[in-house]
Amino acid sequence: MRHWAVSFGLFVGVVAAAAGVALLDYDNDGRLDIFFTNGARIDDPMPDGKLPDKSDPRFWNRLYHQNTEGTFTDVTEKTGLTGMAQHYYTMG
């Protein structure tokens, strides 16, 4: 990565904010599951006291359970990890 070191006028990297991913065995079945963090709708400018909006499913975090045959099932709602109720803006 590269970004500008402003005080010296040098270009040394790019700073980026992105969603994150984690591989974990959330249910202890011996298979790795996948958790993706996701952002939220943020108005510009953001009004005072307003929280990020995760009500639209496209902004939800996602947890995918690995099935025995290697496919994945979305268990986000079942596990309560959408982030919607907390209105969190999640990043990697």
Side-chain angles (χ1 to χ4, degrees), residues 24-31 33 65-66:
L24 67 150
D25 183 5
Y26 93 95
D27 60 351
N28 294 316
D29 64 0
R31 294 182 301 276
D33 307 302
H65 173 258
Q66 186 177 170

Side-chain angles (χ1 to χ4, degrees), residues 4-58:
W4 284 100
V6 177
S7 59
F8 299 105
L10 303 172
F11 188 74
V12 292
V14 174
V15 178
V21 63
L23 300 175
L24 67 150
D25 183 5
Y26 93 95
D27 60 351
N28 294 316
D29 64 0
R31 294 182 301 276
L32 286 177
D33 307 302
I34 306 172
F35 180 68
F36 294 95
T37 63
N38 199 0
R41 179 186 170 99
I42 296 179
D43 295 326
D44 184 21
M46 192 72 162
D48 289 343
K50 184 169 182 187
L51 297 171
D53 181 7
K54 289 185 80 83
S55 60
D56 187 329
R58 67 186 168 148

Side-chain angles (χ1 to χ4, degrees), residues 9 19-20 27 30 60 67 74:
D27 60 351
W60 289 359
N67 304 311
D74 186 345

